[in-house]
Amino acid sequence: MSIPTNLTPGTWTLDPSHSEAAWTVRHAGISKVRGTFGDLAATVTVTDNDAVVDATIQSASISTGDANRDGHVKGEDFFDVENHPTLTFKSTSLEGDGEDYKLNGELTIKGVSVPVTFDAEFGGVAVDPFGNTRAGVSAETTISRKEFGLTWNAALEAGGVLVSDKVKINLELSFLAPSAS
């Protein structure tokens, strides 16, 4: 395993205005519904030979583009934001080299922690026009919502269920270097 050599050791901080945490789930067996979380925070602590990720998402910040659906997803059937206000991720290991990595860790949703692996692509480091040093990362994984106790569903007349078990998570992240945060 090799950390990109152009990552300055220290704690890199997520720039939420240039980052996105999104998800996709199959709906009614025929289409996909997408959503995002608007309130996210994360750090990457870089040492000479490792990088540790710690991320938190405010579950009530979910947006699917439909207020009624958002209300349902925030309720007890899904995220139960009153009792579980955050989703968290804490990395346990990073494997890979160059641009392609496997980021392993514990994802916690609704109080249930499950090991997950994100396929991550390191986008590089650049200095923006304002003098901030940034690092970019794209990452994705697919989870089973049932593993997190998110089991609500409705049967369809033609067979099958309203909401698929598989949820694809996509992350587009921009981090600010330790000196810029």
Side-chain angles (χ1 to χ4, degrees), residues 3 8 36 47 50 52 59 65 80 88 90 92 94 97 113 118-120 122 157 162 165 168 171-172:
I3 300 295
T8 305
T36 59
T47 62
D50 199 9
V52 177
S59 55
D80 190 10
T88 60
K90 296 189 184 307
T92 55
L94 180 66
D97 207 339
S113 298
F118 280 91
D119 293 320
F122 178 65
E157 184 178 306
L162 187 62
D165 178 49
K168 188 172 185 178
L171 306 172
E172 295 296 334

Side-chain angles (χ1 to χ4, degrees), residues 33-34 62-74:
V33 171
R34 292 174 171 78
I62 193 166
S63 175
T64 68
D66 182 276
N68 288 332
R69 183 174 43 229
D70 290 353
H72 186 205
V73 174
K74 291 176 187 180

